[in-house]
Amino acid sequence: MTRITVTVDGTSYSDEVEPRMLLVHYLREVVGKTGTVIGCDTSNCGACTVHLDGRSVKSCNVLAVQADGHEVTTIEGLSQNGELHPMQQAFHECHALQCGYCTPGMIMQAIDVLNDNPDPSEEEIRVGLEGNLCRCTGYHNIVRAVQQVAGQGETSGARS
């Protein structure tokens, strides 16, 4: 067992973990952040995307020990004071989800897209999201949601 200390959504956690434990399993099973979903365990779908030190990572492809000493933001850490993050609000307003399974990872990746480029073209949004799969929506409303947040001039880095 290895002791790690990780800040998750602003709260510090110190736990003994198996060195082979994936970050997604640590977040769900140890910390209780079940909004981070397990889609494929192979880093293909992006459903497990979280932010590690402000950058999106697929948490099924990161060991929990690699997060030691770092800060993780999950979908549950985005809202503040009972208000949805602008990207969460845009996904709601633009109907950018159907079954909702990919939504947490898609939102986290969309935030990262805007952190890298606050005014992306539609093509740049699509390229930025291509590592995250959605089998329901066809992506049109997801792209609209990202465009809506970009149009508000609110890159969400300050809140993620």
Side-chain angles (χ1 to χ4, degrees), residues 28-100:
R28 292 179 59 81
E29 298 164 15
V30 178
V31 180
K33 298 292 184 173
T34 57
T36 301
V37 298
I38 300 170
C40 66
D41 269 341
T42 61
S43 77
N44 287 320
C45 74
C48 67
T49 301
V50 298
H51 290 171
L52 180 63
D53 292 335
R55 298 298 314 206
S56 65
V57 297
K58 294 176 181 177
S59 61
C60 75
N61 204 33
V62 175
L63 296 171
V65 295
Q66 291 175 291
D68 184 31
H70 296 277
E71 184 169 332
V72 176
T73 304
T74 71
I75 191 73
E76 290 135 312
L78 291 181
S79 64
Q80 293 185 355
N81 301 318
E83 289 188 35
L84 292 177
H85 183 282
M87 191 65 72
Q88 290 172 306
Q89 187 64 41
F91 266 61
H92 173 73
E93 291 172 2
C94 294
H95 308 288
L97 60 101
Q98 285 184 21
C99 82

Side-chain angles (χ1 to χ4, degrees), residues 6-34:
V6 182
T7 301
V8 179
D9 297 337
T11 301
S12 181
Y13 295 88
S14 185
D15 297 292
E16 294 283 334
V17 299
E18 289 285 342
R20 67 178 180 250
M21 178 179 255
L22 295 172
L23 181 58
V24 68
H25 294 292
Y26 175 74
L27 293 171
R28 292 179 59 81
E29 298 164 15
V30 178
V31 180
K33 298 292 184 173
T34 57

